[in-house]
Amino acid sequence: MSTQRFPVARPSLSGLEERYVLDAVRSGWISSQGPYLQRFEAEFAERVGATTAVATSNGTVALHLVLAAAGVGPGDEVIVPALTYVATANAVRYCGARPVCVDVSADTWCVDPERVRAAVGPRTRAVLAVDLYGHPADYPALRAICDRHGLLLVADAAESFGATLHGRPTGSLADATTFSFFGNKIVTSGEGGCVTTSDPALADRMRLLRNQGMDPQRRYFFPEVGFNYRLTNVCAALLCAQLARADDILARRDAVLRGYERELADAVRLRPQPVAAGARRAPWMASFLVDGAPGTRDELARGLDRLGVETRPFFVPIPRLPPYADDTAAIPVSVDLGRRGLNLPTYPELTDTDVKVISERVRQALATVA
Ligand SMILES: *Cc1c(COP(=O)(O)O)cnc(C)c1O
């Protein structure tokens, strides 16, 4: 049997990335100005159906930048899903505001609009939805709640580049949408991020705060405290190449997800990610739920590691993390998914044969768990 090890994620880099980066280096534009930055912001905005993209140094600061630009501050509450990457809640804290964690829906793994509605209070300023494991949140329902209460709707689409809901791409479904271009994301510059919006005032405000708060009309005059959240032209060069290849990257990742779902369709105890009507999920990481007693998922992960397959457990719900500890939070779905969810290796270079080999190892490991 082959002993090849499979990592859970790997960036897909080609000769095009090499060429663009070399071009950026040779041009001398390696800092946070340059032609690749302008090109990337224009092309990315167009691709996701927004008027503006504001590139940032990573996806976490993209979240902070939106909330800061919208004026979220101490005393405010922002509704977030209980099941997400920690950056979503941290960004709210950076503003001095309080993240209010609500449970996700078992049908989408994204924030449950009914629970959002119930969580809105006098201090609520925004709803920050997350497209968990590539599945778009229920934006039409969230939009209705936000409009009714005058709340900002922000989408954390770090994991969902390429997803659509009723034909509309993530990036255009909320008042502002953030993306991450970390090394394990669908398109990457190693570290990087951006915010897309079609609100010109919000975009201007984000550009100002991204650049240390400097007055655009008066160099080195800083009317307020801003941040250095700029992206470099070298990273933008990588991203221009990734965008040029995005359709191929997405198609190949899609094939990997469909391959696992086909190969593992009759595997006992494994349930694939549900996809809601009208949603096209982004193929970020193949995601399955493992049925069984507590600990079964971890046992399976250990078995797979021994067989040379790296996996990832789902996120620990935010209210189960020390900085946000809240034993009273009613989040049964998030807790259940957090215990049972497992990601399998997903990257474009996996061949159909690799997917078969990994699936066979999954069956083998499943046969040995209690
Ligand atoms: C990756 C990710 C982010 C931000 O990540 P960075 O590493 O800061 O680029 C934010 N939210 C979610 C849901 C993510 O998966």
Side-chain angles (χ1 to χ4, degrees):
M1 199 190 86
S2 151
T3 53
Q4 187 189 353
R5 270 196 81 82
F6 296 98
V8 74
R10 221 177 76 180
S12 171
L13 301 169
S14 74
L16 193 62
E17 280 80 359
E18 222 174 283
R19 190 147 67 75
Y20 285 5
V21 167
L22 194 60
D23 180 50
V25 170
R26 287 184 173 154
S27 75
W29 293 100
I30 61 166
S31 199
S32 48
Q33 281 184 41
Y36 283 111
L37 273 168
Q38 284 167 355
R39 175 173 156 191
F40 169 68
E41 286 187 339
E43 289 182 1
F44 194 84
E46 169 156 27
R47 181 166 177 119
V48 304
T51 59
T52 312
V54 178
T56 59
S57 28
N58 60 62
T60 305
V61 302
L63 286 163
H64 181 215
L65 189 63
V66 176
L67 298 176
V72 173
D76 292 336
E77 292 179 351
V78 176
I79 296 175
V80 301
L83 191 65
T84 179
Y85 181 54
V86 70
T88 314
N90 283 349
V92 177
R93 274 280 176 89
Y94 299 162
C95 298
R98 190 169 87 87
V100 174
C101 297
V102 309
D103 208 4
V104 297
S105 148
D107 302 329
T108 61
W109 300 353
C110 296
V111 74
D112 183 337
E114 280 316 309
R115 291 181 176 272
V116 170
R117 199 187 311 277
V120 174
R123 292 176 178 276
T124 310
R125 281 291 311 275
V127 174
L128 172 44
V130 178
D131 300 340
L132 199 71
Y133 300 115
H135 192 294
D138 186 352
Y139 292 102
L142 296 173
R143 169 98 275 156
I145 297 164
C146 288
D147 284 353
R148 171 135 190 247
H149 298 280
L151 309 174
L152 182 77
L153 178 56
V154 181
D156 177 348
E159 303 175 358
S160 66
F161 170 79
T164 62
L165 188 60
H166 306 300
R168 285 177 58 195
T170 49
S172 68
L173 298 165
D175 295 318
T177 305
T178 67
F179 292 87
S180 164
F181 306 123
F182 182 64
N184 69 8
K185 297 290 160 66
I186 294 173
V187 294
T188 180
S189 51
E191 296 277 1
C194 84
V195 186
T196 59
T197 184
S198 293
D199 175 342
L202 185 65
D204 284 349
R205 183 104 192 105
M206 290 193 290
R207 287 187 193 287
L208 180 104
L209 291 176
R210 174 180 67 173
N211 191 29
Q212 238 33 303
M214 187 166 82
D215 186 338
Q217 315 311 333
R218 191 172 163 197
R219 282 179 72 213
Y220 294 98
F221 185 74
F222 302 92
E224 61 185 301
V225 177
F227 317 102
N228 175 359
Y229 283 173
R230 300 179 302 252
L231 185 73
T232 70
N233 193 54
V234 178
C235 285
L238 274 168
L239 287 169
C240 285
Q242 292 267 289
L243 269 192
R245 297 176 52 232
D247 288 332
D248 291 340
I249 290 173
L250 286 165
R252 195 50 229 160
R253 283 174 164 273
D254 253 328
V256 169
L257 258 62
R258 279 185 280 110
Y260 284 131
E261 290 181 357
R262 196 170 50 240
E263 296 294 325
L264 295 168
D266 58 352
V268 288
R269 297 201 187 153
L270 275 196
R271 294 168 197 286
Q273 178 179 26
V275 181
R280 183 175 183 281
R281 96 191 126 158
W284 182 46
M285 279 203 184
S287 304
F288 289 86
L289 298 181
V290 186
D291 291 343
T296 306
R297 186 268 317 270
D298 296 330
E299 214 183 315
L300 176 62
R302 280 192 296 274
L304 279 168
D305 184 61
R306 282 193 291 272
L307 293 172
V309 178
E310 194 192 332
T311 60
R312 251 179 67 155
F314 275 20
F315 299 120
V316 173
I318 300 293
R320 295 288 181 273
L321 300 175
Y324 301 100
D326 179 5
D327 292 339
T328 66
I331 52 166
V333 181
S334 299
V335 169
D336 180 56
L337 296 175
R339 271 195 200 128
R340 289 165 62 214
L342 190 71
N343 301 121
L344 295 178
T346 312
Y347 45 92
E349 285 69 25
L350 284 173
T351 65
D352 293 346
T353 308
D354 292 335
V355 172
K356 285 203 171 83
V357 169
I358 295 168
S359 300
E360 192 41 50
R361 293 184 193 178
V362 171
R363 289 173 180 286
Q364 212 180 319
L366 270 173
T368 67
V369 299

